[in-house]
């Protein structure tokens, strides 16, 4: 496969996948999720590879879905299906079909028979956090940040890995605020494995990868399958199905439609500032009477 938005190389027993759109802070394009899955499959088929390291080019790990492509440009776009080409209503199953494929592409890192390490040297936000948290282990630079700001409006993390890494209360703390946390804060929460100074990041990631690379592939595979099965028994796939459906709803709720319209009108950066300002949004958005207000 010829890659447009990632690069792939091997170094002895280590395969390295790099999200490679540095001019867009490695924002997720239409092609990137499938390219990640293809590169993971390629590494799994390579008998010489024992470990996969995933990182981003430039100063960011991944800034999430490219909001210029998906939100700012006018008209119907994947992820903002305001009616099909025939003028019909939003089809939640059509939305689910596309987004769940992206979810599965990201989860190829989790399901990989060979262990995966996310090297997070810069922001891993929104869909970028989905990608990082789908890896078996995450090593962050102290200065890097991770979080899911679209939890405020226009998103639900489709991989749902927050709850499986943090537990209910800490996952709610992150997803009911949309806050970003630094590397040390992420370690304290239990979200990622380690945080190190930026200048020590490559040394630590390479040392961990090399340590695992010395283990036979069949041993790595068995240990990983055993641990992952425990999460499958907890309903991981079912949770991701709900999360992906809810993600579609968040993008087509009254507030979600407002966000898309504001991104078209004033650009996504200003729309994000308004979304995250803490002030009421979407004035004039019509909605039925809330059951909370009616006392029902």
């Amino acid at each position: 496969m010829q890659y447009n938005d990632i690069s792939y190389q091997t170094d002895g027993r280590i395969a390295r996948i790099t999200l490679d759109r540095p001019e867009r802070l490695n924002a997720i394009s239409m092609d990137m999720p499938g390219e990640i899955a293809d590169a993971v499959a390629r590494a799994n088929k390579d008998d010489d590879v024992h470990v996969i390291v995933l990182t981003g080019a430039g100063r960011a790990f991944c800034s999430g879905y490219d909001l210029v492509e998906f939100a700012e440009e006018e008209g119907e776009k994947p992820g903002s299906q305001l009616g099909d080409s025939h003028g019909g209503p939003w089809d939640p199953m059509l939305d689910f079909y596309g987004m769940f494929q992206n979810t599965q592409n990201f989860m190829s890192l989790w399901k990989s028979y060979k262990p995966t390490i996310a090297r997070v040297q810069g922001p891993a936000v929104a869909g970028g956090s989905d990608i990082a948290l789908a890896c078996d282990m995450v090593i962050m630079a102290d200065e890097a940040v991770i979080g899911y700001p679209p939890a405020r409006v226009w998103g639900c993390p489709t991989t749902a890995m927050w709850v499986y890494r943090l537990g209910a209360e800490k996952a709610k703390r992150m997803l009911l605020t949309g806050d970003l946390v630094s590397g040390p804060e992420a370690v304290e929460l239990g979200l990622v494995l380690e945080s190190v100074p930026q200048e020590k990041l490559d040394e630590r990631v390479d040392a961990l990868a090399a340590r695992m690379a010395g283990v036979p592939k069949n041993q790595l595979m068995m240990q990983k399958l055993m641990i992952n099965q425990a999460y499958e028994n907890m309903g991981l796939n079912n949770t991701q199905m709900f999360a992906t459906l809810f993600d579609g709803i968040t993008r087509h709720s009254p507030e979600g439609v407002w966000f898309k319209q504001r991104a078209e009108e004033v650009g996504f950066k200003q729309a994000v500032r308004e979304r995250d300002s803490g002030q009421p949004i979407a004035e004039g958005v019509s909605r039925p009477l809330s059951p909370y207000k009616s006392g029902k």
Side-chain angles (χ1 to χ4, degrees):
M1 182 176 181
Q2 183 68 38
Y3 301 128
N4 296 316
D5 295 328
I6 71 167
S7 62
Y8 177 90
Q9 63 183 31
T10 58
D11 176 16
R13 292 183 167 188
I14 300 171
R16 300 184 188 273
I17 301 171
T18 303
L19 310 180
D20 200 6
R21 301 184 72 209
E23 74 287 352
R24 296 291 305 139
L25 300 182
N26 303 317
I28 300 166
S29 64
M30 287 289 293
D31 292 336
M32 185 181 285
E35 291 185 2
I36 292 172
D38 184 88
V40 171
R42 180 175 173 180
N44 274 269
K45 291 175 184 176
D46 187 337
D47 197 49
D48 292 331
V49 170
H50 286 224
V51 181
I52 301 169
V53 173
L54 174 72
T55 192
R59 62 189 180 91
F61 176 80
C62 176
S63 59
Y65 280 89
D66 191 332
L67 293 184
V68 170
E69 182 175 348
F70 291 99
E72 191 172 290
E73 293 182 3
E74 296 183 4
E76 296 172 12
K77 300 289 180 184
S80 57
Q81 177 203 348
L82 302 177
D84 62 26
S85 59
H86 303 289
W90 169 58
D91 183 341
M93 290 297 98
L94 182 61
D95 190 292
F96 176 81
Y97 177 82
M99 286 304 299
F100 199 60
Q101 183 59 59
N102 284 359
T103 302
Q104 297 307 306
N105 286 334
F106 297 155
M107 288 300 289
S108 67
L109 293 156
W110 178 263
K111 296 175 181 178
S112 165
Y113 293 134
K114 298 174 181 180
T116 55
I117 304 170
R119 172 192 175 275
V120 178
Q121 84 284 14
V125 300
S129 67
D130 279 332
I131 296 173
L133 297 180
C135 291
D136 298 316
M137 285 156 273
V138 182
I139 309 293
M140 289 181 67
D142 291 342
E143 302 87 342
V145 292
I146 189 168
Y148 198 87
R152 299 183 67 85
V153 171
W154 224 60
C156 179
T158 64
T159 63
M161 294 304 292
W162 292 88
V163 67
Y164 290 97
R165 284 179 174 268
L166 293 178
E169 187 172 30
K170 290 179 181 178
K172 288 175 182 177
R173 177 262 180 271
M174 292 301 299
L175 296 181
L176 298 182
T177 64
D179 287 345
L180 300 176
V181 293
S182 67
E185 291 173 301
V187 172
E188 184 178 1
L189 284 169
L191 183 64
V192 305
L193 181 63
E194 294 179 28
S195 178
V196 298
Q198 185 80 51
E199 64 272 15
K200 297 288 187 181
L201 184 61
D202 284 334
E203 178 184 342
R204 181 64 192 118
V205 170
D206 290 348
L208 180 60
R211 180 64 174 164
M212 291 189 290
V215 178
K217 295 188 299 295
N218 56 12
Q219 284 291 116
L220 294 170
M221 182 176 176
M222 284 185 283
Q223 309 302 343
K224 182 169 176 176
L225 283 173
M226 178 271 292
I227 296 167
N228 282 11
Q229 187 57 47
Y231 283 81
E232 291 298 333
N233 293 344
M234 287 189 275
L236 175 59
N237 189 68
N238 288 341
T239 303
Q240 290 178 342
M241 181 177 68
F242 275 104
T244 304
L245 284 168
F246 287 163
D247 183 63
I249 295 170
T250 67
R251 287 179 275 103
H252 298 86
S253 68
E255 293 83 1
V257 172
W258 167 86
F259 179 81
K260 175 68 167 70
Q261 291 170 342
R262 285 298 287 165
E264 292 180 9
E265 292 166 2
V266 300
F268 82 86
K269 292 182 179 179
Q270 177 61 26
V272 167
R273 280 192 289 268
E274 293 176 18
R275 178 193 70 187
D276 295 346
S277 68
Q279 301 300 313
I281 63 172
E283 288 187 11
V285 169
S286 61
R287 57 169 65 251
L289 180 65
S290 167
Y292 303 107
K293 292 181 179 180
S294 65
K296 295 180 180 178

